[in-house]
Amino acid sequence: MTPHRTVVGVDGSLISVRALDWAAAEAVRHGGTLRVLYAVPDRDEAAPVLGYAASRVRARYPRLPVETVAAEGGTVRALARESADADLTVVGTRGLGALAGPALGSVSLRLAALARGPLLVVRGDHPCDDGRDVLLGLTDDTDTTEDKDDRAVAYAFQEAERRGARLRVLQFRGRRHITPEPPSLVPAREAAAEEAVPRFVLAGPADRHPGVTVETRTVRAAAADELLAGTREAAVVVIGARRRTGRLGPRLGPVAHTLLRRAHCPVIVVPHG
């Protein structure tokens, strides 16, 4: 079996140090290796930053294998390439060079639209291992009736199991999906349909991870607002993201976009394709 590999982007900024610490903890939890990347115009400039990153990780986790790589060119493209062979890519919400400027948007937002696998964006200020719940959002941004969209669910169960944490699931049902029914039948039918979706989506992963305690709740509210409130007490929030193609290339749906900008805890974005 190929060993798990976690990739993290650094640039010497404080937020990239926080991302490095989170990535190292995740690599230890996953039982794999950590690959630290710094994208610079000239690779000779990367040595001090990469040297510090490697020594910081080894001081905290002496047994964790650490690789460092200096990549020439843009940060987003370099990390997107690395994500193709990574089980998890980690990045901070600020820093990582000039690409984080307001005119081009943050690295985390642009990378979330391009990453080939799960992306962890470090937000908030609580520590990585503090016993909080894992939060999973099932929103109208996803079609949870298709197998491909179970990736976020599967990842959330795995993350909860690795952390020994409870999994809280918020299922959102938009009113635009409700077919009008006679008044006397609507409440019962809606309730049954809403409960069936979480059970269907969660059944397989729950069987594979019997030690994970799951709490589910179906809500009728703005998905982003409800999830944002939930991130105040969560260790991480996991969300599936379908990429949409626009004039400027792939982009995220509104819920993922909002969480990446405003969540109170780190966000794990699991792409659907």
Side-chain angles (χ1 to χ4, degrees):
M1 179 180 294
T2 303
H4 185 284
R5 184 167 71 163
T6 299
V7 173
V8 59
V10 299
D11 68 351
S13 66
L14 290 178
I15 188 59
S16 79
V17 172
R18 276 186 48 78
L20 175 70
D21 290 347
W22 266 81
E26 288 289 340
V28 170
R29 188 178 292 114
H30 284 263
T33 63
L34 178 66
R35 186 171 172 86
V36 184
L37 179 143
Y38 183 22
V40 288
D42 184 347
R43 295 188 183 188
D44 292 338
E45 300 175 4
V49 170
L50 291 176
Y52 169 77
S55 63
R56 181 181 179 89
V57 172
R58 288 170 181 147
R60 296 185 172 200
Y61 306 103
R63 297 184 180 180
L64 175 64
V66 180
E67 306 170 353
T68 60
V69 57
E72 293 182 355
T75 301
V76 173
R77 293 291 178 182
L79 286 171
R81 287 193 302 269
E82 289 283 334
S83 72
D85 297 317
D87 296 274
L88 179 66
T89 303
V90 182
V91 70
T93 54
R94 291 290 185 270
L96 295 178
L99 289 178
L104 295 177
S106 72
V107 165
S108 59
L109 284 170
R110 296 175 63 216
L111 183 57
L114 294 172
R116 302 277 294 277
L119 173 71
L120 191 158
V121 178
V122 177
R123 292 192 56 84
D125 57 4
H126 56 256
C128 184
D129 298 299
D130 66 352
R132 302 187 190 210
D133 296 341
V134 172
L135 178 64
L136 169 65
L138 299 178
T139 75
D140 290 339
D141 228 15
T142 65
D143 179 359
T144 53
T145 62
E146 297 185 21
D147 289 343
K148 67 179 181 181
D149 294 323
D150 289 347
R151 294 174 187 172
V153 177
Y155 196 96
F157 269 89
Q158 293 164 8
E159 187 70 11
E161 184 173 70
R162 285 188 288 261
R163 289 174 171 271
R166 180 178 62 171
L167 176 62
R168 287 192 292 127
V169 183
L170 290 182
Q171 163 74 21
F172 297 90
R173 303 298 291 169
R175 291 197 178 274
R176 66 178 180 273
H177 297 301
I178 300 172
T179 301
E181 296 280 355
S184 62
L185 298 178
V186 170
R189 291 188 179 183
E190 288 182 5
E194 290 173 355
E195 287 301 317
V197 172
R199 283 199 300 268
F200 171 78
V201 175
L202 302 176
D207 289 342
R208 293 189 291 272
H209 304 278
V212 175
T213 300
V214 183
E215 175 189 290
T216 63
R217 185 159 64 96
T218 300
V219 297
R220 289 189 180 283
D225 291 343
E226 191 77 11
L227 277 172
L228 281 174
T231 63
R232 293 182 181 277
E233 301 300 328
V236 293
V237 57
V238 181
I239 186 169
R242 180 182 295 109
R243 276 76 173 270
R244 296 168 170 82
T245 302
R247 289 184 304 161
L248 300 179
R251 60 187 179 86
L252 297 173
V255 176
H257 189 277
T258 299
L259 286 176
L260 288 172
R261 285 196 175 277
R262 298 173 54 196
H264 302 282
C265 71
V267 181
I268 299 178
V269 180
V270 182
H272 295 163

